[in-house]
Amino acid sequence: NHNRHSVFHKAAVKGNIGVCHWVVDMSGIDPTPLLRPDKAGNSPSELARLEGHEDLSAYLGSVEAAFS
């Protein structure tokens, strides 16, 4: 979208780890472009951390590291 939010950014803000697991593990979609920072420079893991979703932030951080 205009802010460059992907499914990971939206799920991070809402704390929806299940969606993130599905995209990474089941969808067959390459998550690399979806993990890029938004226009403000926030990665999905950073947005999860800012919203207080520490487990999701850690998971997304590991996914970002694995696909970078």
Side-chain angles (χ1 to χ4, degrees), residues 20-31:
C20 296
H21 279 291
W22 184 85
V23 172
V24 172
D25 300 330
M26 304 296 290
S27 72
I29 296 170
D30 175 10

Side-chain angles (χ1 to χ4, degrees), residues 4-64:
R4 288 192 223 144
H5 282 179
S6 71
V7 64
F8 289 118
H9 293 84
K10 297 298 188 183
V13 170
K14 298 292 184 181
N16 196 331
I17 197 168
V19 168
C20 296
H21 279 291
W22 184 85
V23 172
V24 172
D25 300 330
M26 304 296 290
S27 72
I29 296 170
D30 175 10
T32 306
L34 304 174
L35 295 165
R36 294 185 180 128
D38 63 13
K39 277 189 171 180
N42 294 309
S43 66
S45 62
E46 178 68 4
L47 288 178
R49 187 190 67 76
L50 291 170
E51 292 293 329
H53 307 296
E54 296 298 328
D55 290 345
L56 179 51
S57 178
Y59 173 70
L60 287 170
S62 70
V63 173
E64 290 163 2

